[in-house]
Amino acid sequence: MNIASPVPFHKYCVTGLISAVLKVSNMAKSQRSLNIIHSVLFPTQNFLNQGQSKSARCDDIESLKSKNCTEAKIESPHGSIKIDKNKSVTNRKKDVAEKLKPEQITQIQPQKLTLTLRSGEPQTFSLKFKRAEDYPIDLYYLMDLSFSMKDDLENVKNLGTDLMREMQEITSDFRIGFGSFVEKTVMPYISTTPARLINPCTGNQNCTSPFSYKNVLKLTDKGDEFNRLVSQQQISGNLDSPEGGFDAIMQVAVCEDQIGWRNVTRLLVFSTDAGFHFAGDGKLGGIVLPNDGKCHLEDNMYTMSHYYDYPSIAHLVQKLSDHNIQTIFAVTEEFQPVYKELKNLIPKSAVGTLSSNSSNVIKLIIDAYNSLSSEVILENSRLPEGVSITYKSICKNGVVGTGENGRKCSNISIGDEVSFEISVEAQKCPSHGKPETIKIKPLGFTEEVEIVLKFICECECSKGGEANSEKCHEGNGTFECGACKCNEGRIGHLCECSKDDVRTEDLDANCRKDNGTDICSNNGDCVCGTCECKKRDNPNEIYSGKFCECDNFSCDRSNNQLCGGHGRCECKVCICDANYTGSACDCSLDTSTCLAKNGQICNGRGDCECGVCKCTKPKFQGPTCEICPTCPGVCTEHKDCVQCLAFEAGEKKDTCKQNCSDYLLIKVKDRDKLPQPTDQSFPLSHCKERDANDCWFYFTYAIRNNTKEVYVVETLECPAGPDIIPIVAGVVAGIVLIGLALLLIWKLLMIIHDRREFAKFEKEKMNAKWDTGENPIYKSAVTTVVNPKYEGK
């Protein structure tokens, strides 16, 4: 049966049932405040449209008004803040005779609140923090006793009394404890041979047996006792370089009773000259069980080092935070980078450089404590689903921080007071609807703020429902908040149908459009023969219509916006705003974007379509068809007319009057007189052209009031003729210089040749051998002839 049938039914602008409110509460995701509606007991116009469920009565105020729901019928409850415990922060003086117990000191205010939250509406409260003077401190000194720390142990033996004397400047209530660690007592971390188990050190060194962690001294205010027990400690040894310090830190954190921690400032000083093992390293020794984060001290010794792996860094962070322990890493220079990276992972921790023999350990502790205590960082416990929290800090000297910086304040001295503005917002109601509790506390402090969260998840009008009301079809439902909440077994807007007495097939037939197969167009549920459209995650998107066949989000989009952002979507069709058209309202009818600088639409070379010029002449392009890549330039195009008009020259000299009569020519004396582009409200081109005599002439071209306006410089700029005298003189001088150069070269070559010949002569003269007894050119006048036939007879 259709809900618009003649059955008398008064519809009111009210919320639906509690279940409907829970559904609609997700609207807060869109940052719209959830406005719950209140019933007025007189009939109004129909409020629910076809296909809308009763939960549609729950919406934001503007949407309800747009659906013709009057403001007088709107119930809009708001959240509230109730401070349950608000003890003032302690103004404590160190020199006052009466000493307060730690639990009597208050550094954070208020201590407990109750917030009533409505979806989408944040509740903001102020939190005050003040560092109390003379606040008690517990300090536990955890020391690496591997062999490399032998000289350090000597300096730590007097640490108790010396540190207590220094800490008196900060607090009169100071306690100190001591523990030591080496390594897991399995291979390959230590040698398990019997002799090495008794004395792990080599040579004549006398060392104690290796151990994982030992609590030497519970926290005490007796510095002499610290010195006495530490003096009795002996160095031990291990095989590998990293140490098992993480095992020790975990036990120090979780064994509160054995260590003796109080609910005061807790400091853990971790002193070492080596690195550390962490989760996973235990596999080297066959240890695979993850650390359980529980206390395993028996007779002050950690007994499960061989059973549980080293803790992970995240596990340590959790335990140190849960037990409000601030860590000071006192390490040597070599391992500073490693522990500084570790500090970045552990909130409220500090790193100090330990001298090679720990002689500076007291100064290191004092400096690190001052650094840690001068900063307050707020943290909150796990938030319920759908609840968010933001911080804003108002620090010293009025410095304001937001975002992550809103959680902290720095440079806080003793007695300084800072405040935080904390906003808590619920995006939806919890499924169980019960109150939740969260806690906020400063890191490293035991004090905390307890916040009880209550949620507004139903209307006040639901408390006054009319049971078995005649308005709900013969009393088959409770009339509350202007709608019927049906009794068991009844369905429909007026509870007019029975689940047992009707056939589903008959009801479904009323929910099919045009006898189709889809029930409610697959966008809704058939309830008692009537479609109730589904809700979408985005509350702005809705299905509507008798068969849920319409929606307001399936229209065409442009620029990733529904209907281009220039219209509204009604039943999958865009209804465009004025001056827009098209299936996606993406076609603008405004032609102002097509106007060229000359005031013409697309420069007269195209049509304006959807606010964009479509050039009708193919050779033109650009936003207003002003560009023509293949056209000659403006200057080249008008050069001949300007030349014939101004100088009676050029190619158009004989046809100037016929071809160039539409030009308005204005002569100026020099280039400075030419119009400038910034002086004009219309396009202007500056031109420089050359004539047949290689002379330059300058002019500007513009179209003004449909007239070609040309300004031209009346004098040509011609190149000057050559200066003959310098040219001739230069040529003559060049020839003379070249001749002199050639003569010099010839003379140089001759000198070189003569010197070579003279040297050759001198060499031959030295090599000649003269016979001093005979004239070498003398020849005898006697010629002797021998008869060849003469045989000497």
Side-chain angles (χ1 to χ4, degrees):
M1 180 175 70
N2 195 298
I3 61 172
S5 61
V7 177
F9 175 50
H10 296 165
K11 299 184 178 180
Y12 303 90
C13 297
V14 297
T15 51
L17 307 177
I18 296 175
S19 60
V21 178
L22 293 178
K23 292 179 182 178
V24 181
S25 63
N26 286 327
M27 292 179 182
K29 293 180 181 178
S30 66
Q31 302 302 317
R32 301 195 310 172
S33 179
L34 178 63
N35 295 284
I36 304 178
I37 319 307
H38 180 60
S39 170
V40 178
L41 298 179
F42 56 85
T44 67
Q45 59 184 344
N46 290 343
F47 177 69
L48 297 178
N49 296 324
Q50 280 189 333
Q52 288 185 314
S53 65
K54 288 176 283 188
S55 63
R57 295 174 174 271
C58 188
D59 208 339
D60 66 272
I61 292 178
E62 294 303 322
S63 295
L64 290 171
K65 287 180 179 179
S66 67
K67 297 174 184 176
N68 299 319
C69 180
T70 60
E71 190 170 356
K73 298 176 175 63
I74 294 177
E75 178 185 322
S76 180
H78 295 282
S80 61
I81 299 175
K82 178 186 175 185
I83 299 179
D84 303 311
K85 187 177 180 181
N86 194 27
K87 185 180 179 182
S88 299
V89 292
T90 303
N91 293 316
R92 188 184 187 197
K93 299 298 182 182
K94 186 177 178 182
D95 53 358
V96 175
E98 181 184 1
K99 296 299 180 183
L100 299 177
K101 296 180 180 179
E103 56 270 17
Q104 295 175 311
I105 301 174
T106 302
Q107 297 186 112
I108 193 167
Q109 179 188 1
Q111 293 80 40
K112 184 176 181 181
L113 304 94
T114 299
L115 303 185
T116 303
L117 299 177
R118 169 187 172 188
S119 297
E121 183 183 71
Q123 296 297 322
T124 303
F125 63 93
S126 294
L127 185 148
K128 185 189 299 183
F129 178 84
K130 182 177 181 180
R131 278 189 63 192
E133 187 176 351
D134 200 25
Y135 194 74
I137 298 174
D138 284 354
L139 184 145
Y140 192 85
Y141 195 91
L142 183 59
M143 185 174 180
D144 176 8
L145 283 189
S146 57
F147 187 77
S148 58
M149 295 287 284
K150 181 179 179 181
D151 54 345
D152 300 78
L153 181 60
E154 295 299 321
N155 286 299
V156 175
K157 289 180 179 179
N158 296 321
L159 177 64
T161 52
D162 294 343
L163 185 58
M164 281 206 158
R165 183 171 59 253
E166 293 291 335
M167 293 299 287
Q168 289 295 325
E169 299 294 326
I170 300 174
T171 177
S172 60
D173 190 355
F174 177 73
R175 299 200 308 169
I176 189 171
F178 185 82
S180 58
F181 67 91
V182 181
E183 188 55 276
K184 288 184 180 295
T185 54
V186 295
M187 282 288 289
Y189 311 111
I190 67 167
S191 175
T192 56
T193 59
R196 291 298 184 193
L197 284 175
I198 297 173
N199 182 6
C201 300
T202 58
N204 298 324
Q205 301 292 336
N206 186 21
C207 298
T208 188
S209 300
F211 56 91
S212 177
Y213 163 66
K214 176 167 57 176
N215 178 30
V216 177
L217 175 64
K218 187 176 181 179
L219 289 165
T220 178
D221 57 0
K222 298 178 176 60
D224 294 337
E225 181 70 7
F226 180 95
N227 294 347
R228 185 183 66 81
L229 288 176
V230 173
S231 299
Q232 297 174 4
Q233 301 307 302
Q234 285 184 292
I235 292 296
S236 185
N238 61 312
L239 296 178
D240 62 340
S241 177
E243 314 294 1
F246 277 14
D247 274 342
I249 293 176
M250 178 63 75
Q251 293 304 300
V252 171
V254 299
C255 298
E256 289 197 347
D257 294 336
Q258 291 87 335
I259 302 299
W261 292 115
R262 298 177 296 171
N263 285 332
V264 297
T265 298
R266 298 176 175 181
L267 299 178
L268 170 61
V269 179
F270 183 84
S271 175
T272 184
D273 65 348
F276 48 81
H277 285 294
F278 52 91
D281 289 355
K283 291 182 179 180
L284 296 172
I287 304 172
V288 296
L289 282 178
N291 195 287
D292 64 350
K294 296 180 180 179
C295 182
H296 297 288
L297 288 185
E298 294 182 11
D299 295 329
N300 288 321
M301 297 289 290
Y302 178 41
T303 58
M304 301 298 285
S305 67
H306 63 288
Y307 191 74
Y308 289 117
D309 193 8
Y310 302 98
S312 67
I313 295 176
H315 201 181
L316 274 185
V317 170
Q318 176 196 348
K319 292 301 180 181
L320 290 171
S321 177
D322 290 345
H323 295 274
N324 306 305
I325 295 174
Q326 304 177 60
T327 312
I328 300 172
F329 295 104
V331 297
T332 54
E333 183 71 30
E334 179 184 358
F335 288 93
Q336 282 284 307
V338 175
Y339 283 90
K340 282 182 178 178
E341 290 296 326
L342 181 61
K343 166 191 171 295
N344 294 333
L345 301 175
I346 302 179
K348 292 292 282 187
S349 62
V351 177
T353 303
L354 190 68
S355 61
S356 58
N357 58 2
S358 294
S359 58
N360 68 329
V361 68
I362 292 179
K363 183 179 184 303
L364 186 152
I365 292 173
I366 298 294
D367 292 344
Y369 169 74
N370 289 332
S371 173
L372 289 173
S373 60
S374 66
E375 183 177 55
V376 57
I377 304 174
L378 296 185
E379 68 167 359
N380 52 266
S381 59
R382 185 176 179 273
L383 297 173
E385 184 181 0
V387 175
S388 62
I389 187 168
T390 58
Y391 295 85
K392 177 183 177 182
S393 60
I394 298 92
C395 305
K396 193 174 179 180
N397 298 324
V399 177
V400 176
T402 57
E404 282 302 310
N405 290 329
R407 291 176 174 265
K408 61 184 179 180
C409 281
S410 304
N411 300 320
I412 303 174
S413 304
I414 293 175
D416 286 345
E417 184 178 295
V418 296
S419 61
F420 298 85
E421 290 183 4
I422 303 173
S423 294
V424 182
E425 181 179 353
Q427 281 77 35
K428 63 179 181 178
C429 285
S431 56
H432 53 74
K434 297 178 182 179
E436 297 272 4
T437 300
I438 62 173
K439 294 182 179 180
I440 298 176
K441 69 174 183 178
L443 280 175
F445 294 86
T446 57
E447 297 174 69
E448 61 187 13
V449 180
E450 181 181 348
I451 303 175
V452 179
L453 304 179
K454 295 182 179 179
F455 303 90
I456 300 176
C457 294
E458 61 181 38
C459 317
E460 288 294 325
C461 59
S462 64
K463 298 177 182 178
E466 181 184 342
N468 302 320
S469 174
E470 288 299 322
K471 299 173 185 176
C472 300
H473 194 264
E474 300 178 354
N476 288 315
T478 300
F479 188 77
E480 61 180 35
C481 296
C484 287
K485 180 181 179 182
C486 297
N487 296 335
E488 185 67 29
R490 304 294 296 187
I491 57 176
H493 275 281
L494 301 177
C495 310
E496 66 270 26
C497 296
S498 170
K499 292 182 179 178
D500 301 325
D501 296 340
V502 297
R503 291 187 302 169
T504 305
E505 292 81 3
D506 294 339
L507 296 177
D508 288 351
N510 295 329
C511 297
R512 293 190 178 99
K513 182 180 180 181
D514 300 331
N515 294 324
T517 58
D518 295 335
I519 295 177
C520 299
S521 306
N522 288 329
N523 296 325
D525 301 316
C526 189
V527 179
C528 196
T530 303
C531 285
E532 286 193 2
C533 301
K534 296 177 182 178
K535 289 188 175 296
R536 293 177 59 84
D537 291 337
N538 186 346
N540 293 322
E541 299 177 354
I542 59 174
Y543 292 108
S544 60
K546 181 179 177 180
F547 301 102
C548 302
E549 72 278 13
C550 294
D551 64 60
N552 66 345
F553 56 86
S554 296
C555 294
D556 291 341
R557 293 175 177 266
S558 176
N559 293 327
N560 202 30
Q561 287 185 301
L562 192 66
C563 297
H566 303 300
R568 64 186 186 279
C569 182
E570 293 184 3
C571 202
K572 303 182 180 180
V573 176
C574 284
I575 307 298
C576 299
D577 298 337
N579 289 329
Y580 285 94
T581 186
S583 62
C585 300
D586 54 350
C587 183
S588 174
L589 301 178
D590 184 12
T591 60
S592 61
T593 55
C594 297
L595 283 177
K597 292 181 180 180
N598 59 8
Q600 292 181 308
I601 299 293
C602 303
N603 272 302
R605 300 162 181 164
D607 301 321
C608 187
E609 298 179 7
C610 299
V612 178
C613 282
K614 301 294 183 181
C615 302
T616 54
K617 297 181 179 180
K619 65 180 181 178
F620 290 98
Q621 60 184 344
T624 56
C625 303
E626 74 280 9
I627 301 174
C628 180
T630 59
C631 296
V634 172
C635 297
T636 305
E637 181 181 355
H638 302 285
K639 166 188 173 182
D640 293 333
C641 279
V642 173
Q643 191 176 4
C644 79
L645 289 172
F647 307 105
E648 298 180 356
E651 295 180 2
K652 294 184 178 182
K653 175 182 177 181
D654 299 329
T655 60
C656 194
K657 290 183 179 181
Q658 293 83 1
N659 297 333
C660 306
S661 60
D662 56 343
Y663 285 77
L664 175 61
L665 187 73
I666 303 169
K667 292 186 177 183
V668 295
K669 290 187 177 182
D670 52 50
R671 291 161 57 185
D672 294 338
K673 303 296 183 180
L674 291 175
Q676 299 300 315
T678 55
D679 301 334
Q680 308 299 321
S681 58
F682 47 87
L684 179 71
S685 299
H686 274 259
C687 301
K688 176 184 178 182
E689 294 295 332
R690 185 162 52 185
D691 62 12
N693 298 321
D694 286 338
C695 292
W696 294 97
F697 60 97
Y698 298 87
F699 65 95
T700 63
Y701 175 82
I703 297 178
R704 184 175 185 183
N705 299 327
N706 295 324
T707 301
K708 298 176 182 178
E709 188 177 89
V710 176
Y711 283 79
V712 60
V713 179
E714 61 184 12
T715 56
L716 295 170
E717 189 177 287
C718 297
D723 194 346
I724 302 299
I725 295 177
I727 294 175
V728 173
V731 172
V732 172
I735 294 173
V736 172
L737 291 174
I738 292 172
L740 289 174
L742 292 175
L743 287 174
L744 290 173
I745 293 171
W746 176 80
K747 182 63 177 177
L748 179 63
L749 292 175
M750 292 302 297
I751 292 173
I752 294 172
H753 178 266
D754 290 345
R755 289 185 176 181
R756 285 180 177 175
E757 289 296 324
F758 181 76
K760 182 178 178 182
F761 171 76
E762 288 290 326
K763 183 178 180 181
E764 290 179 353
K765 180 181 177 181
M766 294 297 296
N767 291 334
K769 296 180 179 180
W770 298 94
D771 187 358
T772 58
E774 183 177 344
N775 188 348
I777 62 174
Y778 171 77
K779 288 185 179 181
S780 175
V782 178
T783 300
T784 303
V785 178
V786 178
N787 186 356
K789 296 291 186 178
Y790 177 70
E791 296 179 353
K793 293 180 181 180

